[in-house]
Amino acid sequence: MEPISLRTPLALLLISLAVIASVWWWLATPITLVRAPIDPAAKLQCVSYTPFRGAQTPLDPTTQIPVEQIEQDLTDLAKVTDCVRTYSIENGLDQVPGVAAKVGLKVMQGIWLSSNRFKNLQQIAIAVRLAKEYPGVVTSLIVGNEVLLRGEMTANDLAGNIRAVKAAAGNLPVTYADVWEYWVKNREIYDAVDFVTIHILPYWEDIPVKAKYAAAHVDDIRKRMAVTFPGKEILIGETGWPSQGRMREGALPSRTNQARVVSEILDLAKREGFRVNLIEAYDQPWKRKLEGTVGGNWGLFDSVKRQVKYPPGVAITNYPDWKLQMAGGMALSVATFLAAWLTLRRRPWTPRPSAWIAVAISATTAGALLGIAGDKMYYESYGVGGWLHWGVLLAAGIAAPLLTAHALIAGRSLPTFLELVGPRDYRGKGVIGAVLAIVLIITTVIAAETALGFTFDPRYRDFPYASLTMAVVPFALLTMLNRPKEGIRPLAESVFAGLLAIAALYTIYNEGTINWQSDWTCVMYLLLAATLWRARAAQNPG
């Protein structure tokens, strides 16, 4: 039997590696676009610019951006765009027009309005002064950004502020910017502005729009607004797509989807002759505190290296480092088989073929998903807590196939919580068993925490489908093959099983069935629930 026992796992390992390679070849397939998102030969009309990097945030009123940082950014942006849009004059942003004059950029100067009347007057005064100080650079004043959407000002007060700015700014065009629905709800603002600035963000619509329909949606809304508000230019003041974050129904943030949406909107604007401002120049990490991962990843440039995400002539793929990610997954698959083989060497018996098949499934699943899970951890971890949260789950996803490979070949069952933290009569023996119990508990607790999050506060939460699958599939296979024949059903596992099942069913209902990130995550919740429900805790003899 020895030659057969060695030949079988080797064949399964080769199949595992072939599957992992095929998955990554498919995932990394580049896309073809009608127009490069960033093309120095065809500059962008305008992009939203906020300069905050790293831990810098406008949520801290003491934050002051040095002029050298703004100069570096605007010098780079001048290579790809003719104009930048700002939103405020605070935190050092009053330096933008002066720097823009040096590097040859135009500025759509924003005035941030809120419920604070005194600060509003300060913003208006400084913005009007900048417009007069830099004529020809400041091309328009945007009086307020989504202040009606936020409910911080009435339409009458907003119209009064717009008229006051117009009186002070002379002949400089003045507008207001908001989500397109709020223009329709507050038509009196139309009379106060020189042109209408609307925000169309297909991802954030009440009924999210898929990336492949985003450009058509933008054009449809623009045409409807032109009919609703005739006689004045309709400027698309914000549009774009996020490169990372959670799905909303069928709307998937990704690098390729962002590039596709931007490319198609720019091509449409060129063919139909309308102005468009993209959101935004640089990724803004601080927005993740308010809007989760997706909020910080709307930029055409990354926030750390300040490099364009889509260099001209470079293939656009969701996984630029796919070869390294594939190699890491293959290494994990080999390590899983090695753990099983080393276990076999210490035991003078031949395990069932089903045990090796379970090892192969665990190794292939974890190997194929490792790169995706690592990529998600990198983009979704914000702050120390975020890195600890997703880092621990990924570590559990890496450890689970290795530890269950040992248990599968050794003929051991999945340990229960009691075997780690219960009475002495229930505690298991061996370090590997204890570590496996720890990994199971970590996975269960994080799964329950995220499931509750999707039940009570889901809007900005990321779906942990990759790391969760890496851990749950090996647990489920081990329980399926090596389940104890007798013993009590532990209370803790039963409670977690019920919680996960209920939360999964609600999330499927709430998120809809076309959100594959949600569906995938919920399937893992249900699989983990079934695994926990089948758990049996037997007392140790003696």
Side-chain angles (χ1 to χ4, degrees):
M1 295 296 291
E2 185 68 17
I4 297 176
S5 65
L6 290 176
R7 197 180 303 123
T8 299
L10 180 59
L12 291 172
L13 173 58
L14 294 176
I15 293 172
S16 174
L17 296 179
V19 171
I20 293 171
S22 299
V23 167
W24 277 102
W25 177 84
W26 172 69
L27 288 173
T29 301
I31 61 170
T32 302
L33 303 174
V34 296
R35 180 194 190 280
I38 300 297
D39 184 358
K43 287 187 176 182
L44 304 173
Q45 294 177 10
C46 203
V47 292
S48 294
Y49 172 64
T50 40
F52 307 101
R53 307 180 185 181
Q56 295 173 341
T57 171
L59 302 178
D60 179 359
T62 65
T63 299
Q64 189 71 15
I65 306 301
V67 67
E68 294 80 11
Q69 183 173 319
I70 295 174
E71 286 178 351
Q72 180 185 353
D73 286 346
L74 295 191
T75 299
D76 290 338
L77 290 178
K79 301 173 185 176
V80 300
T81 186
D82 293 319
C83 159
V84 294
R85 174 190 170 183
T86 62
Y87 293 80
S88 170
I89 50 82
E90 296 182 295
N91 307 111
L93 280 162
D94 57 326
Q95 303 170 105
V96 169
V99 176
K102 295 180 182 178
V103 300
L105 283 172
K106 305 296 184 183
V107 178
M108 297 178 65
Q109 178 63 54
I111 300 174
W112 189 264
L113 298 182
S114 66
S115 57
N116 188 324
R117 293 177 179 268
F118 178 71
K119 287 189 69 175
N120 292 345
L121 292 175
Q122 284 184 317
Q123 288 263 339
I124 289 171
I126 295 173
V128 170
R129 174 180 62 80
L130 290 171
K132 293 180 177 179
E133 188 175 345
Y134 298 100
V137 174
V138 178
T139 59
S140 59
L141 293 175
I142 302 177
V143 186
N145 180 75
E146 298 184 352
V147 68
L148 296 177
L149 171 65
R150 298 194 305 275
E152 294 182 356
M153 184 176 286
T154 66
N156 286 335
D157 285 344
L158 174 60
N161 279 285
I162 293 171
R163 293 189 179 99
V165 172
K166 286 186 68 173
N171 295 324
L172 191 66
V174 173
T175 187
Y176 165 68
D178 210 328
V179 176
W180 65 274
E181 295 100 326
Y182 279 81
W183 279 97
V184 177
K185 295 176 183 177
N186 301 275
R187 301 169 74 95
E188 61 269 35
I189 302 301
Y190 170 73
D191 296 324
V193 300
D194 294 308
F195 60 95
V196 176
T197 302
I198 60 173
H199 296 171
I200 311 175
L201 300 170
Y203 172 85
W204 281 125
E205 294 285 16
D206 292 337
I207 301 177
V209 179
K210 290 184 178 181
K212 64 181 179 180
Y213 303 125
H217 175 77
V218 169
D219 195 41
D220 178 62
I221 297 299
R222 180 188 67 85
K223 290 175 178 176
R224 287 167 54 186
M225 294 295 290
V227 173
T228 304
F229 299 109
K232 292 182 181 178
E233 180 193 9
I234 306 295
L235 167 69
I236 299 178
E238 281 186 3
T239 192
W241 196 266
S243 61
Q244 298 290 340
R246 55 109 74 211
M247 284 186 75
R248 295 188 69 236
E249 296 188 16
L252 172 64
S254 72
R255 287 172 52 86
T256 54
N257 278 347
Q258 183 185 53
R260 177 183 289 111
V261 170
V262 170
S263 171
E264 292 177 355
I265 290 176
L266 292 178
D267 181 65
L268 190 66
K270 181 179 179 181
R271 286 189 284 110
E272 300 196 9
F274 60 86
R275 283 202 297 157
V276 59
N277 173 78
L278 296 174
I279 182 167
E280 57 193 325
Y282 294 95
D283 285 341
Q284 292 296 299
W286 66 272
K287 290 185 179 179
R288 298 175 60 182
K289 188 172 184 179
L290 304 176
E291 302 174 6
T293 298
V294 72
N297 288 280
W298 288 74
L300 298 174
F301 291 73
D302 75 87
S303 64
V304 179
K305 297 180 181 179
R306 319 301 276 183
Q307 293 179 349
V308 65
K309 293 179 181 177
Y310 314 108
V314 177
I316 297 174
T317 171
N318 284 328
Y319 298 98
D321 301 319
W322 70 275
K323 292 181 181 179
L324 181 62
Q325 292 165 314
M326 179 182 68
M330 288 180 169
L332 179 57
S333 177
V334 171
T336 302
F337 275 91
L338 182 61
W341 180 73
L342 290 175
T343 302
L344 181 64
R345 295 241 337 182
R346 298 178 60 184
R347 291 182 172 272
W349 63 291
T350 301
R352 294 172 294 171
S354 58
W356 279 113
I357 293 174
V359 169
I361 294 173
S362 298
T364 305
T365 301
L369 293 176
L370 177 61
I372 299 173
D375 199 59
K376 283 172 62 63
M377 183 188 70
Y378 175 78
Y379 285 105
E380 295 171 4
S381 299
Y382 182 65
V384 175
W387 281 100
L388 182 63
H389 185 261
W390 297 127
V392 168
L393 182 59
L394 177 58
I398 294 172
L402 299 171
L403 295 169
T404 56
H406 167 80
L408 283 163
I409 300 303
R412 295 177 179 173
S413 61
L414 185 69
T416 62
F417 298 171
L418 286 172
E419 292 180 46
L420 183 69
V421 297
R424 181 173 300 176
D425 288 344
Y426 287 97
R427 293 183 188 177
K429 298 179 180 179
V431 174
I432 295 179
V435 174
L436 181 56
I438 292 172
V439 172
L440 175 62
I441 291 173
I442 288 173
T443 302
T444 302
V445 170
I446 294 180
E449 179 266 328
T450 56
L452 289 172
F454 291 125
T455 302
F456 295 104
D457 185 26
R459 184 172 175 86
Y460 301 120
R461 293 180 179 271
D462 299 304
F463 295 101
Y465 59 89
S467 293
L468 195 62
T469 302
M470 292 171 63
V472 171
V473 168
F475 295 152
L477 291 169
L478 181 58
T479 299
M480 184 185 303
L481 296 181
N482 295 352
R483 183 187 181 210
K485 299 297 183 182
E486 50 186 43
I488 65 168
R489 174 175 284 121
L491 178 61
E493 278 88 338
S494 299
V495 171
F496 275 112
L499 184 155
L500 288 168
I502 294 171
L505 295 175
Y506 173 79
T507 301
I508 291 173
Y509 165 77
N510 189 52
E511 294 287 341
T513 56
I514 63 172
N515 182 338
W516 63 260
Q517 288 187 348
S518 170
D519 295 341
W520 184 340
T521 303
C522 289
V523 168
M524 288 303 108
Y525 288 154
L526 292 172
L527 185 59
L528 180 57
T531 300
L532 295 172
W533 182 256
R534 288 168 57 86
R536 289 286 185 270
Q539 289 186 337
N540 290 318

